Amino acid sequence: MPNPWTGKGNPYTREEVRERLQATINKGNAIIAAGAGTGISAKFIEKGGADLIIIYNSGRFRMMGHGSTCGLMAYGDANAIAMEIGEYEVLPVVEEVPVICGVHATDPRRRMWHWLGKVKEMGFSGVNNFPTHTIVDGHFRGVLEETGMSVKKEYEMVAIARKMDLFSVVYVATPEEAVEMAKAGADAIIAHVGTTVGGSVGVKSAVVSWEHTLKRTQEIIDAASQVRKDIFFLCHGGPINTPSDAERVIKNTDAVGFVGASSLERMGVEDSLTNLTKEFKALKL
């Protein structure tokens, strides 16, 4: 339904977003969610037919020519950056696709219920847990868990979002995290299998195998499905880089869609600008 104040789509209620995604599935189509770090990216992602547009701080770094992992570092206020991109760049140009705001739930400086109120007031239709500690592991993850910056705060954020009628699409890296997100009320769960490979700043050495990608994606789906049956499951990361890669996962698991950030926004810019410039440079006097 259009926003009665503007005639445009955003913001949508949680149920309205769910109905839109279910309608996509009912047509036999995969759900495609896309990260956008700039207004022009969002504008043309919408023209391409994406079902959701997600804004998070890594999009800004990605479109500055840096790796998305910058979004996990202390290079700025992640919540403020996502809000700024939404307010001044994306929400003013997106006409109909639901826009989701990345929320850094473990930021100790924010009262999460208060911040989510601002997210909703701005016109976002939902939330995403990014930056997320689910993709941090090893000793550092242990330190975060023990010093008040636990991933549990991400579960709590999702539970608050559910109470506030905000749609939630969340990253998880393990079946255990998927279970907790399902209990918290997440509407869509993204099986994050690792940093996206390829492109100018994608990982090359920490490559995840296809065997692991398919196995872990299905493990996450199976675990969360034991809690609730109404979750939309999406895939992301690792070797899933192209439409054919996403199709491979969708055909070999119970995932019903794909989330593209680097693999859609950054790769699209890298390829198109490079090739277009080469075409211009091929002109002769």
Side-chain angles (χ1 to χ4, degrees), residues 226-277:
Q226 295 300 309
V227 180
R228 291 192 4 252
K229 301 298 184 183
D230 63 342
I231 300 169
F232 299 100
F233 292 103
L234 312 175
C235 59
H236 174 81
I240 315 170
N241 193 6
T242 66
S244 61
D245 294 335
E247 183 180 40
R248 181 174 181 178
V249 180
I250 291 168
K251 286 189 177 300
N252 288 282
T253 71
D254 292 325
V256 296
F258 168 70
V259 176
S262 295
S263 54
L264 203 156
E265 184 180 37
R266 175 170 61 81
M267 301 300 187
V269 171
E270 289 183 7
D271 293 343
S272 62
L273 287 183
T274 299
N275 293 331
L276 184 58
T277 304

Side-chain angles (χ1 to χ4, degrees), residues 137-144:
D137 56 16
H139 175 72
F140 185 49
R141 173 68 179 271
V143 171
L144 291 171

Side-chain angles (χ1 to χ4, degrees), residues 213-230:
T213 296
L214 298 175
K215 181 172 181 290
R216 176 48 57 94
T217 299
Q218 190 61 47
E219 287 173 345
I220 286 170
I221 294 171
D222 290 341
S225 296
Q226 295 300 309
V227 180
R228 291 192 4 252
K229 301 298 184 183
D230 63 342

Side-chain angles (χ1 to χ4, degrees), residues 38-272:
T38 66
I40 194 167
S41 295
K43 187 173 186 176
F44 288 95
I45 285 169
E46 178 173 39
K47 286 185 179 295
D51 297 287
L52 297 173
I53 293 174
I54 308 176
I55 301 171
Y56 27 64
N57 70 324
S58 65
R60 172 157 291 176
F61 294 107
R62 182 165 58 241
M63 300 310 287
M64 290 166 61
H66 307 300
S68 297
T69 309
C70 288
L72 296 174
M73 306 301 289
Y75 300 149
D77 183 335
N79 284 310
I81 291 171
M83 183 69 81
E84 183 179 81
I85 296 171
E87 180 176 8
Y88 298 115
E89 296 194 51
V90 174
L91 287 168
V93 300
V94 171
E95 296 185 354
E96 199 259 342
V97 176
V99 180
I100 309 300
C101 185
V103 175
H104 193 192
T106 60
D107 186 341
R109 304 164 300 172
R110 283 187 166 84
R111 297 163 292 163
M112 199 42 56
W113 63 269
H114 181 253
W115 183 249
L116 293 188
K118 290 186 175 184
V119 167
K120 188 170 184 176
E121 181 183 18
M122 184 55 64
F124 289 100
S125 298
V127 296
N128 168 253
N129 61 325
F130 196 92
T132 175
H133 292 184
T134 63
I135 56 176
V136 179
D137 56 16
H139 175 72
F140 185 49
R141 173 68 179 271
V143 171
L144 291 171
E145 293 293 324
E146 293 180 19
T147 54
M149 291 166 282
S150 170
V151 72
K152 292 178 182 177
K153 290 188 177 294
E154 298 182 29
Y155 309 150
E156 292 168 1
M157 182 273 286
V158 170
I160 295 170
R162 178 70 180 256
K163 291 180 181 178
M164 297 178 71
D165 198 33
L166 284 163
F167 180 85
S168 56
V169 50
V170 300
Y171 287 114
V172 302
T174 67
E176 294 75 18
E177 292 164 352
V179 166
E180 294 304 318
M181 281 299 192
K183 290 179 180 177
D187 292 293
I189 290 179
I190 310 163
H192 196 308
V193 297
T195 304
T196 304
V197 303
S200 63
V201 291
V203 296
K204 296 177 176 63
S205 58
V207 177
V208 178
S209 71
W210 271 109
E211 180 182 7
H212 173 80
T213 296
L214 298 175
K215 181 172 181 290
R216 176 48 57 94
T217 299
Q218 190 61 47
E219 287 173 345
I220 286 170
I221 294 171
D222 290 341
S225 296
Q226 295 300 309
V227 180
R228 291 192 4 252
K229 301 298 184 183
D230 63 342
I231 300 169
F232 299 100
F233 292 103
L234 312 175
C235 59
H236 174 81
I240 315 170
N241 193 6
T242 66
S244 61
D245 294 335
E247 183 180 40
R248 181 174 181 178
V249 180
I250 291 168
K251 286 189 177 300
N252 288 282
T253 71
D254 292 325
V256 296
F258 168 70
V259 176
S262 295
S263 54
L264 203 156
E265 184 180 37
R266 175 170 61 81
M267 301 300 187
V269 171
E270 289 183 7
D271 293 343
S272 62

